[in-house]
Amino acid sequence: MKVLELFNVHKVYNTTHVEVHAVNDVCLEFEEGEFAAIVGPSGSGKTTLLNMIGGLDMPTEGRILVNSTDLSTLKSSAIIDFRMRNIGFVFQSYNLIPVLTAKENIEFIMNLQKWPRKKRDKRTMELLKAVGLEDRVDSRPAQLSGGQQQRVAVARALASKPRFVLADEPTANLDTKSTENLLDIMEKLNREENITFIFSTHDARVVKKARRVITLEDGKVVSDEIRE
Amino acid sequence: MITKTAWKNVWRNKIRSLVVIASVTVGIFAGVFAVGVMNGAVDQRVDEVLDNEVSHIQITHPDFRSNNDLACNLENVSTLKERISGLEKVEAVCDRLFVVGMANTARKSVGVNIIGINPEEEKEIFGLYKELEPGTGDYFADPDREELSYIGFDLAKTLNIIRYQVNDEIIEELRSEELPEDILAGISEFTGERFDNERSFKKAMRSVLTAKQESEYGRLILEKAQTFRERAKFTLTFVNSNNHQTGGVFRVGGIYNIPNSMFESNQVFIQDRILRRLIEFPENTAHQIVIRLTDVDDTRTMTKKLRSDFPELEVLNWKQIQPDMAMMSDFAGVMYGFFMVIILAALAFGIVNTMLMVVLERTKELGMLTAIGMNKKKVFRMIMTESVFLSLTGGVAGMVVSWIIIKVTSARGINFGSMQEGLEAMGFSSYIYPDIGIDFFMIVTILIIITGILSSVYPALKALKLDPAEALRTE
């Protein structure tokens, strides 16, 4: 089942009369349960592509369908709501809310969706256990290591059971051990919950784990390799 | 969760938040306490008007108030009083005779209102008898002494009934008040000398005290040096109902001392039967019927009722008799609210500035929140709630502090002695007992919440304009 389709997507930035093609005629499809990495050198358009897939940015040309819904047809308020229900985000610098505990950070999105308390608590504890942080429930981000913070961020991204998770350079700030640990957790959750993961990365360790690797160069897809 | 996050966000930068909270605390304390003092002064003045000067409702002949003609009097007063006394909500009724005349001593003459009263009935309505200056008399204790009168402190000063004298006892009293020895030595120079009026005593003081010493201790020395000529004589002259000049010799049977120097200087009370005889007025007549109600809040409805019961008479309540006081009392609440709005408006700039810093500092976080699905309404609510918490924390602290200070000072009073003359000229006491109702605290709480909300609008709008993709790139 297709969760994401990109048709001839372009993104052109107009900086001081010079047109920059950040993304150039990209056509892609993602099936449910994929574990895909978008790779490429800096400036190849990875983050721009992820932003457009996540509805944070709009293509200059082309269409993006998430679960058959064309994002360009949604109003800005509807896009935010759509993101909340369908897309999970993991950021390079974790971006947890520093005043909330690990549990509260994970619960945040479920609260926004008005989940009942019992259901919320159950899901939060499940995720904390899955990312191996069940003993750090009440720790604030400042009390956690970088790897632990990113694991909380992954748990938060998965909290509301989205259709797919977009992770922009999730391991860029992590050491080898934390990276491996995080990738194992994400892979496990991908298999157990059948949630699609799409990474932008130039980390070879991530690329090695990915089951599909899409390579971008100058905004164009130069290869799309599916591994077994 | 938004409320909880907003509250936790308040304490993210503790020092900055505490500075804002402290400024709101100080501002609210200053505002509420100042309002407490103003309200206390106004309440005291209104009580003074009701208890000593006007009472709640007065009934007169329709033409009496405009031309003060003795002939404009009320007849069948006992029947009128009986009917009014029988009404529900009426606590007491008395009647008075009024004549405009002159009070004279050997050296001074001054125009006064001479009021004929029944002292016992009067006590049911007015509390003026309680304002008797100790040692000056006994307020008509012996009704057979027809020559006794009850006059104000300022009139007594004008008629030179109050004199000034320093003796060893007064020097000792002043020493116990910790007056410097050089001042005591200075005023000891005129020990035993008697001064007939305040002016001559002040002149003598100035010869031995510096200007600074006089401004600091002059009033205390003046008060201690006051002596009263017991049962001092003076004459009252006026025109009777037959347009003949008449009058009588009276003695001071008591001096009342109230904060209203204007009232004190021109209201002389004598027994009504003496005045009736002197102005040759028939029995069962009066110029005024004064009514005290069980509850002042019933004044308006009772005025209306009495007007319909006695359409041929003029029925006025205290607000109509003293419109300046009525305006002060009625508009006081609006004035206090306006005063607080000005203070809060000034504080709002500080809150806006802090909230703008908050938005600037949390650009990346706000971008993340929008990215994960927090809609604009919720972002706005979170910033607004944080702003309200910030202002409300300071506001509640300010209200608690001001409530405590008002409670303490309302029991002891605040002495505005240095402004005594000015305050008393306007009818206000120099001792003010701050007072504020719980309803005012509720209004202030609402105003603080409104300030918090309004202060958050501009910063929140700035937050809403953030592009999440761009905000996430911020370092």
Side-chain angles (χ1 to χ4, degrees):
Chain A
M1 186 187 159
K2 290 189 183 69
V3 289
L4 180 64
E5 294 160 277
L6 287 85
F7 299 102
N8 308 101
V9 172
H10 291 258
K11 182 69 187 179
V12 181
Y13 291 110
N14 227 330
T15 53
T16 58
H17 311 297
V18 181
E19 283 193 349
V20 178
H21 273 80
V23 174
N24 197 350
D25 199 26
V26 171
C27 296
L28 289 167
E29 284 179 357
F30 293 88
E31 296 287 330
E32 194 173 44
E34 279 198 42
F35 199 69
I38 300 173
V39 299
S42 284
S44 59
K46 303 186 295 290
T47 303
T48 306
L49 187 62
L50 278 193
N51 282 347
M52 287 193 291
I53 293 170
L56 298 174
D57 212 347
M58 282 294 140
T60 320
E61 216 179 292
R63 291 192 307 147
I64 298 173
L65 303 186
V66 177
N67 278 342
S68 311
T69 304
D70 186 346
L71 292 184
S72 64
T73 61
L74 300 175
K75 285 184 182 171
S76 65
S77 56
I79 287 183
I80 295 173
D81 194 57
F82 187 83
R83 273 202 302 264
M84 179 173 71
R85 294 180 196 286
N86 295 284
I87 309 170
F89 284 91
V90 177
F91 305 97
Q92 181 179 332
S93 48
Y94 331 129
N95 284 6
L96 298 174
I97 303 170
V99 290
L100 302 184
T101 62
K103 181 175 181 275
E104 289 165 342
N105 265 290
I106 296 167
E107 277 181 339
F108 198 84
I109 200 151
M110 292 184 269
N111 266 301
L112 292 180
Q113 291 185 33
K114 297 192 172 86
W115 281 32
R117 192 188 182 89
K118 252 188 177 170
K119 194 179 164 193
R120 212 167 61 208
D121 283 348
K122 189 171 170 253
R123 177 73 177 153
T124 308
M125 290 320 292
E126 252 174 39
L127 287 164
L128 276 166
K129 207 173 166 189
V131 297
L133 290 172
E134 63 268 43
D135 56 338
R136 306 307 300 265
V137 176
D138 294 321
S139 299
R140 289 195 181 191
Q143 296 163 322
L144 300 172
S145 69
Q148 287 172 324
Q149 285 188 59
Q150 197 61 302
R151 274 142 67 189
V152 175
V154 168
R156 179 181 67 186
L158 291 165
S160 63
K161 300 189 173 171
R163 306 295 304 183
F164 58 87
V165 170
L166 298 176
D168 187 11
E169 309 266 9
T171 57
N173 293 339
L174 302 182
D175 56 36
T176 307
K177 199 179 163 202
S178 299
T179 299
E180 272 170 20
N181 193 291
L182 184 78
L183 287 169
D184 288 344
I185 287 165
M186 289 203 290
E187 203 177 14
K188 192 180 93 182
L189 288 165
N190 164 256
R191 287 187 199 283
E192 284 174 3
E193 304 216 0
N194 201 31
I195 291 172
T196 308
F197 274 78
I198 303 170
F199 313 94
S200 78
T201 188
H202 40 38
D203 186 335
R205 297 163 300 184
V206 181
V207 178
K208 208 172 133 192
K209 287 266 182 188
R211 295 199 296 278
R212 180 179 173 187
V213 180
I214 299 154
T215 310
L216 282 185
E217 256 174 46
D218 297 330
K220 283 186 174 176
V221 177
V222 292
S223 73
D224 187 352
E225 177 195 350
I226 295 172
R227 301 168 180 167
E228 282 311 314
Chain B
M1 181 58 98
I2 287 174
T3 312
K4 190 177 176 182
T5 310
W7 174 249
K8 287 186 173 187
N9 278 338
V10 168
W11 304 107
R12 203 185 268 205
N13 187 332
K14 282 197 181 75
I15 292 182
R16 187 177 62 202
S17 293
L18 284 172
V19 167
V20 177
I21 288 167
S23 71
V24 175
T25 304
V26 171
I28 294 294
F29 160 70
V32 173
F33 184 66
V35 167
V37 172
M38 288 190 277
N39 189 52
V42 170
D43 279 357
Q44 278 170 251
R45 178 73 191 111
V46 171
D47 287 348
E48 165 73 23
V49 165
L50 297 179
D51 291 346
N52 295 334
E53 299 171 23
V54 176
S55 196
H56 299 154
I57 298 173
Q58 295 183 356
I59 298 178
T60 54
H61 184 283
D63 297 326
F64 177 73
R65 208 168 283 276
S66 54
N67 58 21
N68 260 336
D69 188 346
L70 285 187
C72 298
N73 61 307
L74 305 170
E75 290 173 350
N76 295 320
V77 169
S78 55
T79 316
L80 278 173
K81 279 165 65 184
E82 209 169 301
R83 275 181 67 189
I84 296 164
S85 304
L87 294 173
E88 208 184 333
K89 297 173 183 170
V90 171
E91 189 179 308
V93 183
C94 74
D95 62 286
R96 289 170 152 192
L97 288 170
F98 269 87
V99 185
V100 176
M102 297 291 288
N104 317 285
T105 57
R107 292 182 187 176
K108 287 276 174 73
S109 286
V110 60
V112 290
N113 289 319
I114 302 154
I115 305 159
I117 58 166
N118 176 335
E120 287 312 306
E121 265 189 6
E122 194 85 357
K123 279 184 181 175
E124 303 291 319
I125 307 266
F126 292 103
L128 201 60
Y129 69 97
K130 295 177 198 160
E131 310 295 342
L132 179 73
E133 187 74 17
T136 61
D138 49 19
Y139 182 78
F140 307 109
D142 181 0
D144 293 336
R145 295 204 54 180
E146 295 184 341
E147 78 284 15
L148 294 183
S149 66
Y150 195 46
I151 67 168
F153 193 82
D154 268 43
L155 181 62
K157 279 203 284 191
T158 311
L159 294 175
N160 292 348
I161 289 166
I162 292 172
R163 289 172 172 173
Y164 300 86
Q165 199 168 5
V166 176
N167 55 33
D168 293 341
E169 200 180 323
I170 289 168
I171 297 283
E172 278 314 307
E173 273 181 41
L174 289 170
R175 184 169 280 123
S176 68
E177 300 271 356
E178 294 177 357
L179 249 74
E181 280 303 321
D182 58 327
I183 296 178
L184 294 175
I187 58 171
S188 300
E189 281 179 27
F190 40 83
T191 304
E193 204 174 329
R194 196 177 72 188
F195 299 88
D196 285 342
N197 55 50
E198 191 177 310
R199 203 174 54 190
S200 58
F201 183 72
K202 277 186 175 171
K203 197 175 163 191
M205 269 206 299
R206 276 185 207 120
S207 67
V208 292
L209 302 183
T210 64
K212 195 181 167 207
Q213 286 172 330
E214 194 197 344
S215 75
E216 208 167 332
Y217 302 107
R219 176 157 288 280
L220 179 66
I221 298 168
L222 198 74
E223 279 174 9
K224 294 280 180 197
Q226 278 164 358
T227 61
F228 306 98
R229 280 165 55 202
E230 275 183 39
R231 301 281 191 239
K233 266 198 238 175
F234 67 103
T235 63
L236 290 172
T237 54
F238 41 86
V239 174
N240 70 14
S241 58
N242 297 316
N243 279 331
H244 292 141
Q245 183 80 23
T246 185
V249 178
F250 289 85
R251 284 181 184 275
V252 175
I255 296 174
Y256 59 88
N257 195 347
I258 58 171
N260 187 351
S261 55
M262 182 89 88
F263 187 90
E264 271 183 1
S265 63
N266 63 15
Q267 308 287 319
V268 176
F269 296 87
I270 61 173
Q271 292 193 61
D272 57 355
R273 59 195 160 95
I274 319 304
L275 188 58
R276 189 179 301 282
R277 200 166 60 222
L278 289 169
I279 60 173
E280 298 175 14
F281 236 51
E283 287 297 323
N284 210 14
T285 54
H287 289 115
Q288 188 181 65
I289 289 177
V290 187
I291 302 158
R292 185 168 190 90
L293 305 173
T294 45
D295 187 348
V296 69
D297 292 339
D298 294 324
T299 305
R300 190 189 286 263
T301 52
M302 284 306 287
T303 308
K304 211 169 158 189
K305 172 159 180 49
L306 288 164
R307 272 191 194 141
S308 70
D309 287 358
F310 306 103
E312 71 286 5
L313 302 177
E314 185 173 62
V315 180
L316 294 177
N317 60 40
W318 68 274
K319 288 189 174 185
Q320 292 156 328
I321 297 164
Q322 297 238 334
D324 51 335
M325 276 318 302
M327 199 180 79
M328 199 185 283
S329 167
D330 290 346
F331 288 99
V334 179
M335 261 166 42
Y336 304 155
F338 189 65
F339 186 64
M340 290 310 297
V341 166
I342 292 170
I343 290 176
L344 284 166
L347 293 173
F349 287 100
I351 301 168
V352 170
N353 186 43
T354 304
M355 293 313 294
L356 278 172
M357 294 274 286
V358 162
V359 171
L360 191 74
E361 278 174 7
R362 294 186 210 151
T363 300
K364 193 169 190 174
E365 190 176 312
L366 290 165
M368 178 275 290
L369 289 170
T370 316
I372 67 167
M374 193 170 185
N375 62 30
K376 291 185 174 184
K377 219 164 85 183
K378 283 174 178 150
V379 170
F380 193 97
R381 213 179 88 201
M382 189 176 75
I383 292 171
M384 193 190 74
T385 311
E386 187 174 336
S387 172
V388 169
F389 279 144
L390 200 61
S391 41
L392 205 55
T393 308
V396 168
M399 284 191 285
V400 168
V401 174
S402 52
W403 183 79
I404 293 167
I405 304 279
I406 286 172
K407 278 282 153 201
V408 171
T409 51
S410 68
R412 295 157 52 174
I414 304 172
N415 186 5
F416 289 89
S418 57
M419 296 188 275
Q420 187 173 1
E421 276 179 38
L423 284 168
E424 288 190 357
M426 293 189 293
F428 289 97
S429 169
S430 60
Y431 251 96
I432 293 174
Y433 297 85
D435 183 30
I436 202 85
I438 193 82
D439 51 340
F440 185 71
F441 284 103
M442 285 161 85
I443 292 167
V444 172
T445 307
I446 293 166
L447 287 176
I448 293 168
I449 293 170
I450 293 171
T451 306
I453 292 170
L454 293 179
S455 306
S456 70
V457 171
Y458 180 60
L461 287 176
K462 283 211 88 112
L464 297 189
K465 280 184 188 160
L466 291 174
D467 173 47
E470 222 168 89
L472 280 165
R473 280 196 287 272
T474 320
E475 282 310 315

